[in-house]
Amino acid sequence: PSTDPSVSPSEIPSDQPSESPSRIPSDKPSRSPSDEPSLEPSGFPSDRPTRNPSSDPSVSPTGNPTRSIKPSPSPSARPTRSPASKPTKAPTKAPTKAPTKAPTKAPTKAPTPPCADDLTFTFERLNGLQGNCTWLSEKEARQNRFCGRGNVKGACQKTCDFCTCKDTVPYTFIRPDTQAIRDCAWIADSSKPIRLRLCYNESEIVEGAATSEAGDNCVESCGFCRP
């Protein structure tokens, strides 16, 4: 056969076709196809498929199916069983509408209240004069002497480094009038007269006076913690 294909096909087909067909298919297929199909399929699929497919399918399918250059205009009735080897590069534009079902288990802890001194509080010093938290903060020797008192450390929490302002646990004492063993929780549940008598020295039941041993240990139950 000629190395270059003819510009226009012959009107009458050749009685003897070429022994070896051309390797590259014609860009313009013949308007009148041959009556007899070719013995071997072409190596490349046609750019323009047949408008009228055959009414009878082939008895046995081809061992090497044709790879389509262009996708079909309608989707397949049976999707591919195996998924694509490469996932989609572009992520989903719209986020998930439904929020997370399970919230965080542990809530945020409440902030720690500031530790400060009650500047209105006064207490009785050993010489009978009055002292306050500012006077107490000026010298460490004063703190060593007075911060052991329940009412002083409950009011001057910053100076006495007693920001927690809690009762001493465990702590028990003997009630003077009944000799019964009690604790700080019992003081908190008692009436005010009994609470004052146990938290202060019995001879000095006034605010700022020296406190008893029970008052020094049951600071919260005695009501000495200033806000």
Side-chain angles (χ1 to χ4, degrees), residues 56 63 71 94 116 138 182 198 224:
D56 297 328
E138 293 173 352
R182 303 300 185 190
L198 294 175
F224 293 150

Side-chain angles (χ1 to χ4, degrees), residues 6-214:
S6 59
V7 178
S8 59
S10 59
E11 296 180 357
I12 303 173
S14 174
D15 295 334
Q16 297 179 353
S18 301
E19 295 180 358
S20 58
S22 58
R23 297 181 180 179
I24 302 174
S26 174
D27 293 333
K28 297 181 180 180
S30 175
R31 295 182 180 178
S32 302
S34 59
D35 296 332
E36 297 179 359
S38 58
L39 298 177
E40 296 180 359
S42 59
F44 297 92
S46 174
D47 293 336
R48 297 181 181 180
T50 305
R51 294 183 179 180
N52 299 320
S54 59
S55 58
D56 297 328
S58 58
V59 178
S60 59
T62 178
N64 297 321
T66 305
R67 294 183 179 180
S68 176
I69 299 175
K70 299 179 181 180
S72 59
S74 59
S76 174
R78 296 182 180 179
T80 306
R81 294 183 179 179
S82 58
S85 58
K86 295 182 179 180
T88 306
K89 294 182 179 180
T92 305
K93 294 181 180 180
T96 305
K97 295 181 180 180
T100 305
K101 293 182 180 179
T104 306
K105 294 182 179 180
T108 306
K109 295 182 179 180
T112 305
C115 184
D117 294 337
D118 184 0
L119 301 180
T120 64
F121 172 76
T122 59
F123 60 92
E124 186 178 350
R125 293 157 53 184
L126 299 178
N127 56 6
L129 299 177
Q130 294 293 310
N132 56 27
C133 296
T134 303
W135 175 84
L136 187 65
S137 64
E138 293 173 352
K139 293 184 178 181
E140 186 177 355
R142 297 173 182 174
Q143 299 165 25
N144 294 335
R145 182 176 300 174
F146 293 102
C147 281
R149 292 185 183 180
N151 55 354
V152 174
K153 61 185 176 182
C156 305
Q157 297 178 20
K158 183 178 180 181
T159 299
C160 293
D161 192 19
F162 194 66
C163 297
T164 56
C165 201
K166 298 292 184 181
D167 296 337
T168 301
V169 179
Y171 171 77
T172 57
F173 63 95
I174 298 176
R175 184 175 174 179
D177 52 351
T178 62
Q179 299 299 308
I181 298 176
R182 303 300 185 190
D183 57 9
C184 296
W186 184 87
I187 293 179
D189 295 335
S190 300
S191 62
K192 185 175 181 179
I194 295 177
R195 187 166 61 248
L196 290 175
R197 188 167 63 251
L198 294 175
C199 293
Y200 287 97
N201 288 328
E202 292 188 7
S203 59
E204 299 177 284
I205 307 178
V206 292
E207 183 178 2
T211 52
S212 63
E213 180 185 340

